[in-house]
mmCIF file with all atom_site columns, all heavy atoms in Angstrom:
data_model
loop_
_atom_site.group_PDB
_atom_site.id
_atom_site.type_symbol
_atom_site.label_atom_id
_atom_site.label_alt_id
_atom_site.label_comp_id
_atom_site.label_asym_id
_atom_site.label_entity_id
_atom_site.label_seq_id
_atom_site.pdbx_PDB_ins_code
_atom_site.Cartn_x
_atom_site.Cartn_y
_atom_site.Cartn_z
_atom_site.occupancy
_atom_site.B_iso_or_equiv
_atom_site.pdbx_formal_charge
_atom_site.auth_seq_id
_atom_site.auth_comp_id
_atom_site.auth_asym_id
_atom_site.auth_atom_id
_atom_site.pdbx_PDB_model_num
ATOM   1   N N   . THR N 1 120 ? 2.626  6.858  10.168 1.00 92.00 ? 169 THR N N   1
ATOM   2   C CA  . THR N 1 120 ? 2.561  7.646  11.409 1.00 92.00 ? 169 THR N CA  1
ATOM   3   C C   . THR N 1 120 ? 1.597  8.802  11.172 1.00 92.00 ? 169 THR N C   1
ATOM   4   O O   . THR N 1 120 ? 1.764  9.542  10.194 1.00 92.00 ? 169 THR N O   1
ATOM   5   C CB  . THR N 1 120 ? 3.949  8.238  11.751 1.00 92.00 ? 169 THR N CB  1
ATOM   6   O OG1 . THR N 1 120 ? 4.905  7.183  11.751 1.00 92.00 ? 169 THR N OG1 1
ATOM   7   C CG2 . THR N 1 120 ? 3.945  8.910  13.114 1.00 92.00 ? 169 THR N CG2 1
ATOM   8   N N   . SER N 1 132 ? 5.524  7.487  16.208 1.00 91.00 ? 181 SER N N   1
ATOM   9   C CA  . SER N 1 132 ? 5.947  6.623  15.099 1.00 91.00 ? 181 SER N CA  1
ATOM   10  C C   . SER N 1 132 ? 6.255  5.214  15.624 1.00 91.00 ? 181 SER N C   1
ATOM   11  O O   . SER N 1 132 ? 6.974  5.054  16.616 1.00 91.00 ? 181 SER N O   1
ATOM   12  C CB  . SER N 1 132 ? 7.193  7.229  14.454 1.00 91.00 ? 181 SER N CB  1
ATOM   13  O OG  . SER N 1 132 ? 8.027  6.221  13.955 1.00 91.00 ? 181 SER N OG  1
ATOM   14  N N   . ASN N 1 134 ? 8.071  3.079  14.235 1.00 94.00 ? 183 ASN N N   1
ATOM   15  C CA  . ASN N 1 134 ? 9.507  2.846  14.036 1.00 94.00 ? 183 ASN N CA  1
ATOM   16  C C   . ASN N 1 134 ? 10.295 3.312  15.243 1.00 94.00 ? 183 ASN N C   1
ATOM   17  O O   . ASN N 1 134 ? 11.158 2.602  15.763 1.00 94.00 ? 183 ASN N O   1
ATOM   18  C CB  . ASN N 1 134 ? 10.023 3.650  12.841 1.00 94.00 ? 183 ASN N CB  1
ATOM   19  C CG  . ASN N 1 134 ? 9.661  3.021  11.540 1.00 94.00 ? 183 ASN N CG  1
ATOM   20  O OD1 . ASN N 1 134 ? 8.631  2.389  11.440 1.00 94.00 ? 183 ASN N OD1 1
ATOM   21  N ND2 . ASN N 1 134 ? 10.504 3.185  10.547 1.00 94.00 ? 183 ASN N ND2 1
ATOM   22  N N   . VAL N 1 135 ? 10.002 4.541  15.638 1.00 89.00 ? 184 VAL N N   1
ATOM   23  C CA  . VAL N 1 135 ? 10.750 5.111  16.756 1.00 89.00 ? 184 VAL N CA  1
ATOM   24  C C   . VAL N 1 135 ? 10.521 4.268  18.016 1.00 89.00 ? 184 VAL N C   1
ATOM   25  O O   . VAL N 1 135 ? 11.461 3.949  18.750 1.00 89.00 ? 184 VAL N O   1
ATOM   26  C CB  . VAL N 1 135 ? 10.349 6.589  16.973 1.00 89.00 ? 184 VAL N CB  1
ATOM   27  C CG1 . VAL N 1 135 ? 10.976 7.147  18.236 1.00 89.00 ? 184 VAL N CG1 1
ATOM   28  C CG2 . VAL N 1 135 ? 10.752 7.433  15.761 1.00 89.00 ? 184 VAL N CG2 1
ATOM   29  N N   . ARG N 1 138 ? 12.342 0.837  17.726 1.00 95.00 ? 187 ARG N N   1
ATOM   30  C CA  . ARG N 1 138 ? 13.788 0.999  17.868 1.00 95.00 ? 187 ARG N CA  1
ATOM   31  C C   . ARG N 1 138 ? 14.144 1.242  19.333 1.00 95.00 ? 187 ARG N C   1
ATOM   32  O O   . ARG N 1 138 ? 15.145 0.741  19.827 1.00 95.00 ? 187 ARG N O   1
ATOM   33  C CB  . ARG N 1 138 ? 14.266 2.167  16.991 1.00 95.00 ? 187 ARG N CB  1
ATOM   34  C CG  . ARG N 1 138 ? 14.153 1.862  15.504 1.00 95.00 ? 187 ARG N CG  1
ATOM   35  C CD  . ARG N 1 138 ? 14.330 3.093  14.665 1.00 95.00 ? 187 ARG N CD  1
ATOM   36  N NE  . ARG N 1 138 ? 14.035 2.838  13.250 1.00 95.00 ? 187 ARG N NE  1
ATOM   37  C CZ  . ARG N 1 138 ? 13.935 3.785  12.344 1.00 95.00 ? 187 ARG N CZ  1
ATOM   38  N NH1 . ARG N 1 138 ? 14.085 5.062  12.676 1.00 95.00 ? 187 ARG N NH1 1
ATOM   39  N NH2 . ARG N 1 138 ? 13.663 3.487  11.096 1.00 95.00 ? 187 ARG N NH2 1
ATOM   40  N N   . ASN N 1 146 ? 21.362 1.772  13.094 1.00 98.00 ? 195 ASN N N   1
ATOM   41  C CA  . ASN N 1 146 ? 20.608 1.694  11.855 1.00 98.00 ? 195 ASN N CA  1
ATOM   42  C C   . ASN N 1 146 ? 21.625 1.686  10.706 1.00 98.00 ? 195 ASN N C   1
ATOM   43  O O   . ASN N 1 146 ? 22.254 2.704  10.412 1.00 98.00 ? 195 ASN N O   1
ATOM   44  C CB  . ASN N 1 146 ? 19.665 2.879  11.758 1.00 98.00 ? 195 ASN N CB  1
ATOM   45  C CG  . ASN N 1 146 ? 18.639 2.711  10.664 1.00 98.00 ? 195 ASN N CG  1
ATOM   46  O OD1 . ASN N 1 146 ? 18.929 2.150  9.621  1.00 98.00 ? 195 ASN N OD1 1
ATOM   47  N ND2 . ASN N 1 146 ? 17.441 3.205  10.898 1.00 98.00 ? 195 ASN N ND2 1
ATOM   48  N N   . ARG N 1 148 ? 22.680 1.309  6.896  1.00 98.00 ? 197 ARG N N   1
ATOM   49  C CA  . ARG N 1 148 ? 22.060 1.513  5.582  1.00 98.00 ? 197 ARG N CA  1
ATOM   50  C C   . ARG N 1 148 ? 23.122 1.545  4.477  1.00 98.00 ? 197 ARG N C   1
ATOM   51  O O   . ARG N 1 148 ? 23.801 2.552  4.304  1.00 98.00 ? 197 ARG N O   1
ATOM   52  C CB  . ARG N 1 148 ? 21.268 2.822  5.589  1.00 98.00 ? 197 ARG N CB  1
ATOM   53  C CG  . ARG N 1 148 ? 20.179 2.812  6.634  1.00 98.00 ? 197 ARG N CG  1
ATOM   54  C CD  . ARG N 1 148 ? 19.318 4.048  6.645  1.00 98.00 ? 197 ARG N CD  1
ATOM   55  N NE  . ARG N 1 148 ? 18.043 3.716  7.283  1.00 98.00 ? 197 ARG N NE  1
ATOM   56  C CZ  . ARG N 1 148 ? 17.022 4.535  7.400  1.00 98.00 ? 197 ARG N CZ  1
ATOM   57  N NH1 . ARG N 1 148 ? 17.102 5.754  6.929  1.00 98.00 ? 197 ARG N NH1 1
ATOM   58  N NH2 . ARG N 1 148 ? 15.907 4.129  7.983  1.00 98.00 ? 197 ARG N NH2 1
ATOM   59  N N   . ARG N 1 163 ? 23.784 4.921  11.267 1.00 98.00 ? 212 ARG N N   1
ATOM   60  C CA  . ARG N 1 163 ? 22.962 5.982  11.861 1.00 98.00 ? 212 ARG N CA  1
ATOM   61  C C   . ARG N 1 163 ? 22.634 5.605  13.300 1.00 98.00 ? 212 ARG N C   1
ATOM   62  O O   . ARG N 1 163 ? 22.093 4.521  13.544 1.00 98.00 ? 212 ARG N O   1
ATOM   63  C CB  . ARG N 1 163 ? 21.678 6.115  11.037 1.00 98.00 ? 212 ARG N CB  1
ATOM   64  C CG  . ARG N 1 163 ? 20.590 6.918  11.700 1.00 98.00 ? 212 ARG N CG  1
ATOM   65  C CD  . ARG N 1 163 ? 19.295 6.837  10.890 1.00 98.00 ? 212 ARG N CD  1
ATOM   66  N NE  . ARG N 1 163 ? 18.218 7.537  11.562 1.00 98.00 ? 212 ARG N NE  1
ATOM   67  C CZ  . ARG N 1 163 ? 16.948 7.485  11.193 1.00 98.00 ? 212 ARG N CZ  1
ATOM   68  N NH1 . ARG N 1 163 ? 16.591 6.768  10.139 1.00 98.00 ? 212 ARG N NH1 1
ATOM   69  N NH2 . ARG N 1 163 ? 16.025 8.148  11.851 1.00 98.00 ? 212 ARG N NH2 1
ATOM   70  N N   . TYR N 1 170 ? 15.243 12.203 17.987 1.00 94.00 ? 219 TYR N N   1
ATOM   71  C CA  . TYR N 1 170 ? 14.087 11.306 17.847 1.00 94.00 ? 219 TYR N CA  1
ATOM   72  C C   . TYR N 1 170 ? 13.575 10.745 19.158 1.00 94.00 ? 219 TYR N C   1
ATOM   73  O O   . TYR N 1 170 ? 12.388 10.496 19.314 1.00 94.00 ? 219 TYR N O   1
ATOM   74  C CB  . TYR N 1 170 ? 14.455 10.145 16.906 1.00 94.00 ? 219 TYR N CB  1
ATOM   75  C CG  . TYR N 1 170 ? 14.525 10.591 15.474 1.00 94.00 ? 219 TYR N CG  1
ATOM   76  C CD1 . TYR N 1 170 ? 15.389 11.613 15.104 1.00 94.00 ? 219 TYR N CD1 1
ATOM   77  C CD2 . TYR N 1 170 ? 13.710 10.038 14.500 1.00 94.00 ? 219 TYR N CD2 1
ATOM   78  C CE1 . TYR N 1 170 ? 15.447 12.060 13.798 1.00 94.00 ? 219 TYR N CE1 1
ATOM   79  C CE2 . TYR N 1 170 ? 13.759 10.478 13.187 1.00 94.00 ? 219 TYR N CE2 1
ATOM   80  C CZ  . TYR N 1 170 ? 14.634 11.482 12.842 1.00 94.00 ? 219 TYR N CZ  1
ATOM   81  O OH  . TYR N 1 170 ? 14.680 11.926 11.560 1.00 94.00 ? 219 TYR N OH  1
ATOM   82  N N   . ASP N 1 278 ? 19.052 10.083 9.126  1.00 97.00 ? 327 ASP N N   1
ATOM   83  C CA  . ASP N 1 278 ? 17.765 9.956  8.445  1.00 97.00 ? 327 ASP N CA  1
ATOM   84  C C   . ASP N 1 278 ? 17.804 10.729 7.126  1.00 97.00 ? 327 ASP N C   1
ATOM   85  O O   . ASP N 1 278 ? 17.446 10.221 6.060  1.00 97.00 ? 327 ASP N O   1
ATOM   86  C CB  . ASP N 1 278 ? 16.664 10.499 9.371  1.00 97.00 ? 327 ASP N CB  1
ATOM   87  C CG  . ASP N 1 278 ? 15.274 10.236 8.830  1.00 97.00 ? 327 ASP N CG  1
ATOM   88  O OD1 . ASP N 1 278 ? 15.132 9.381  7.936  1.00 97.00 ? 327 ASP N OD1 1
ATOM   89  O OD2 . ASP N 1 278 ? 14.317 10.888 9.308  1.00 97.00 ? 327 ASP N OD2 1
ATOM   90  N N   . ASP N 1 282 ? 18.423 9.212  2.860  1.00 97.00 ? 331 ASP N N   1
ATOM   91  C CA  . ASP N 1 282 ? 17.453 9.399  1.768  1.00 97.00 ? 331 ASP N CA  1
ATOM   92  C C   . ASP N 1 282 ? 18.165 9.986  0.555  1.00 97.00 ? 331 ASP N C   1
ATOM   93  O O   . ASP N 1 282 ? 17.922 9.595  -0.586 1.00 97.00 ? 331 ASP N O   1
ATOM   94  C CB  . ASP N 1 282 ? 16.307 10.339 2.184  1.00 97.00 ? 331 ASP N CB  1
ATOM   95  C CG  . ASP N 1 282 ? 15.120 9.584  2.788  1.00 97.00 ? 331 ASP N CG  1
ATOM   96  O OD1 . ASP N 1 282 ? 15.286 8.402  3.149  1.00 97.00 ? 331 ASP N OD1 1
ATOM   97  O OD2 . ASP N 1 282 ? 14.021 10.180 2.902  1.00 97.00 ? 331 ASP N OD2 1
ATOM   98  N N   . GLU N 1 307 ? 14.150 -3.480 7.434  1.00 97.00 ? 356 GLU N N   1
ATOM   99  C CA  . GLU N 1 307 ? 13.043 -2.756 6.817  1.00 97.00 ? 356 GLU N CA  1
ATOM   100 C C   . GLU N 1 307 ? 13.524 -1.902 5.649  1.00 97.00 ? 356 GLU N C   1
ATOM   101 O O   . GLU N 1 307 ? 14.724 -1.765 5.409  1.00 97.00 ? 356 GLU N O   1
ATOM   102 C CB  . GLU N 1 307 ? 12.350 -1.866 7.871  1.00 97.00 ? 356 GLU N CB  1
ATOM   103 C CG  . GLU N 1 307 ? 13.283 -0.843 8.474  1.00 97.00 ? 356 GLU N CG  1
ATOM   104 C CD  . GLU N 1 307 ? 12.645 -0.009 9.586  1.00 97.00 ? 356 GLU N CD  1
ATOM   105 O OE1 . GLU N 1 307 ? 11.458 -0.166 9.882  1.00 97.00 ? 356 GLU N OE1 1
ATOM   106 O OE2 . GLU N 1 307 ? 13.367 0.819  10.152 1.00 97.00 ? 356 GLU N OE2 1
ATOM   107 N N   . ALA N 1 308 ? 12.551 -1.299 4.952  1.00 97.00 ? 357 ALA N N   1
ATOM   108 C CA  . ALA N 1 308 ? 12.850 -0.337 3.895  1.00 97.00 ? 357 ALA N CA  1
ATOM   109 C C   . ALA N 1 308 ? 13.278 0.960  4.572  1.00 97.00 ? 357 ALA N C   1
ATOM   110 O O   . ALA N 1 308 ? 12.998 1.167  5.746  1.00 97.00 ? 357 ALA N O   1
ATOM   111 C CB  . ALA N 1 308 ? 11.604 -0.100 3.056  1.00 97.00 ? 357 ALA N CB  1
ATOM   112 N N   . ILE N 1 309 ? 13.914 1.857  3.823  1.00 95.00 ? 358 ILE N N   1
ATOM   113 C CA  . ILE N 1 309 ? 14.263 3.121  4.478  1.00 95.00 ? 358 ILE N CA  1
ATOM   114 C C   . ILE N 1 309 ? 13.146 4.161  4.311  1.00 95.00 ? 358 ILE N C   1
ATOM   115 O O   . ILE N 1 309 ? 13.225 5.249  4.833  1.00 95.00 ? 358 ILE N O   1
ATOM   116 C CB  . ILE N 1 309 ? 15.607 3.717  3.977  1.00 95.00 ? 358 ILE N CB  1
ATOM   117 C CG1 . ILE N 1 309 ? 15.474 4.359  2.591  1.00 95.00 ? 358 ILE N CG1 1
ATOM   118 C CG2 . ILE N 1 309 ? 16.722 2.713  3.992  1.00 95.00 ? 358 ILE N CG2 1
ATOM   119 C CD1 . ILE N 1 309 ? 16.566 5.396  2.347  1.00 95.00 ? 358 ILE N CD1 1
HETATM 120 C C1  . IPM Z 2 .   ? 13.322 6.140  8.327  1.00 90.62 ? 644 IPM Z C1  1
HETATM 121 C C2  . IPM Z 2 .   ? 12.002 6.827  8.385  1.00 90.62 ? 644 IPM Z C2  1
HETATM 122 C C3  . IPM Z 2 .   ? 11.599 6.905  9.827  1.00 90.62 ? 644 IPM Z C3  1
HETATM 123 C C4  . IPM Z 2 .   ? 12.657 7.718  10.531 1.00 90.62 ? 644 IPM Z C4  1
HETATM 124 C C5  . IPM Z 2 .   ? 10.239 7.487  10.126 1.00 90.62 ? 644 IPM Z C5  1
HETATM 125 C C6  . IPM Z 2 .   ? 9.146  6.748  9.445  1.00 90.62 ? 644 IPM Z C6  1
HETATM 126 C C7  . IPM Z 2 .   ? 10.017 7.591  11.611 1.00 90.62 ? 644 IPM Z C7  1
HETATM 127 O O1  . IPM Z 2 .   ? 12.082 8.075  7.796  1.00 90.62 ? 644 IPM Z O1  1
HETATM 128 O O2  . IPM Z 2 .   ? 13.395 4.984  8.759  1.00 90.62 ? 644 IPM Z O2  1
HETATM 129 O O3  . IPM Z 2 .   ? 14.283 6.746  7.866  1.00 90.62 ? 644 IPM Z O3  1
HETATM 130 O O4  . IPM Z 2 .   ? 12.620 8.917  10.489 1.00 90.62 ? 644 IPM Z O4  1
HETATM 131 O O5  . IPM Z 2 .   ? 13.547 7.112  11.097 1.00 90.62 ? 644 IPM Z O5  1
#
Side-chain angles (χ1 to χ4, degrees):
T169 307
S181 148
N183 282 31
V184 173
R187 291 167 188 170
N195 193 324
R197 300 183 158 184
R212 166 188 176 190
Y219 287 58
D327 188 17
D331 269 15
E356 60 184 357
I358 76 157

